[in-house]
Amino acid sequence: MKGIILAGGSGTRLHPLTLAVSKQLLPVYDTPMVYHPLSVLMLAGIRDVLLISTPHDLPGFQRLLGDGTRYGMNITYAEQAEPNGLAEAFVIGADHVGDDTSALVLGDNLFHGSNFSDLLHECIGGIGPDADGCVLFGYPVRDPENYGVGEADEHGRLISLEEKPAQPRSNRAITGLYFYDDRVCEIAKDLKPSDRGELEITDVNRVYLEQGRARLVDLGRGFAWLDTGTHDALLGAGQYMQVLEHRQGIRVACLEEVALRMGYIDADACYALGAQLAKSAYGKYVMDVATSLGAVPNGGR
């Protein structure tokens, strides 16, 4: 499965913070926001990732993440010159996806929950020619009228999809994480732009819905899905991560730790990455994790 992170847009709701820097490069407490969607793809076992952003912002992501080698990943980059809709990610990323299945995650969406990696692998296993071709993730919200909303039957099959409905049929908001079979790029290519002139991801999902090949997985209780589109939401997400880290002594979306635990790099390589950041609490955490999992500091010297 190939991964795509869509990290474009101008972040106008976060002005003036985003006048000079991409929203997805802003900090969520002590990590860059883009670490969160990238860690989701890594937890799903995806190692080949395309990051799409604006021509102005791409160099910042490249400086931060490089080609992904240090995490045992392959990260490439592509431009989205204008915010022409989420589904354009599959037009821009068609060569990247090829004939493979794919996962799209939005660069400003944060996920956290117990056994999340197991859930992701289970959902990926349901993608194929003889199974549901699309998996969406729903999250209960108090104000579903402000979201795209999905309704599923007792078997988890998607039966309705509405965009900001006046009278929602469920309280399950569609999150910014999507799994698709190998037909999604063709579907996106054939879309007609909406009244806003954009290729809408909801229209892609409706194709799968109409074909009876869409599933809705409920994240529900025990999971956190955080958007970061406003100043209050960004602050709240940072406070959530701060509380978790201080109370439990863990770090959410620590790429080095995820890469180590997923087997993408070994403990010594992880320790070396932490040592490069040793003056920060983040770097010391990475070194401690690596040591606890078998790293030999300084080669045993």
Side-chain angles (χ1 to χ4, degrees), residues 268-283:
D268 289 333
C270 183
Y271 185 91
L273 292 175
Q276 295 173 16
L277 308 172
K279 291 186 178 181
S280 70
Y282 182 97

Side-chain angles (χ1 to χ4, degrees), residues 144-149 161-168 196 206:
E145 65 276 5
N146 293 322
Y147 298 86
V149 177
L161 190 60
E162 304 171 286
E163 190 65 30
K164 297 183 178 180
Q167 296 181 320
R196 298 188 299 175
R206 282 202 178 100

Side-chain angles (χ1 to χ4, degrees), residues 165 223 252:
F223 274 84
V252 181

Side-chain angles (χ1 to χ4, degrees), residues 54-67:
T54 68
H56 176 267
D57 292 318
L58 272 180
F61 290 104
Q62 292 170 317
R63 286 193 299 271
L64 177 66
L65 301 172
D67 63 3

Side-chain angles (χ1 to χ4, degrees), residues 101-281:
T101 56
S102 58
L104 171 66
V105 60
L106 305 186
D108 60 357
N109 274 220
L110 282 57
F111 298 85
H112 179 257
S114 178
N115 299 318
F116 192 30
S117 181
D118 293 340
L119 175 63
L120 295 174
H121 282 270
E122 178 184 340
C123 292
I124 290 173
I127 295 288
D130 300 320
D132 294 333
C134 165
V135 177
L136 309 179
F137 294 84
Y139 190 81
V141 295
R142 292 184 300 174
D143 51 348
E145 65 276 5
N146 293 322
Y147 298 86
V149 177
E151 179 188 15
D153 64 18
E154 63 273 18
H155 304 294
R157 190 171 298 276
L158 188 69
I159 58 176
S160 75
L161 190 60
E162 304 171 286
E163 190 65 30
K164 297 183 178 180
Q167 296 181 320
R169 299 177 61 172
S170 88
N171 69 337
R172 264 42 182 183
I174 303 299
T175 71
L177 176 63
Y178 316 85
F179 289 168
Y180 296 103
D181 63 16
D182 58 1
R183 304 171 208 182
V184 66
C185 292
E186 286 297 318
I187 292 173
K189 185 181 70 173
D190 292 338
L191 287 181
K192 294 182 179 179
S194 67
D195 294 340
R196 298 188 299 175
E198 299 182 355
L199 299 181
E200 304 286 357
I201 199 69
T202 299
D203 292 337
V204 171
N205 297 334
R206 282 202 178 100
V207 172
Y208 285 99
L209 168 63
E210 292 165 2
Q211 295 174 351
R213 299 192 307 114
R215 245 190 328 141
L216 182 65
V217 173
D218 187 8
L219 295 179
R221 188 180 290 248
F223 274 84
W225 169 54
L226 305 171
D227 191 358
T228 54
T230 67
H231 295 95
D232 284 346
L234 179 60
L235 177 63
Q239 291 172 330
Y240 175 88
M241 299 303 169
Q242 181 191 37
V243 169
L244 274 179
E245 292 187 12
H246 285 198
R247 290 290 181 89
Q248 299 185 8
I250 63 170
R251 288 183 183 268
V252 181
C254 175
L255 299 184
E256 296 84 357
E257 180 180 11
V258 175
L260 174 58
R261 294 188 183 277
M262 293 298 295
Y264 300 167
I265 60 175
D266 63 25
D268 289 333
C270 183
Y271 185 91
L273 292 175
Q276 295 173 16
L277 308 172
K279 291 186 178 181
S280 70

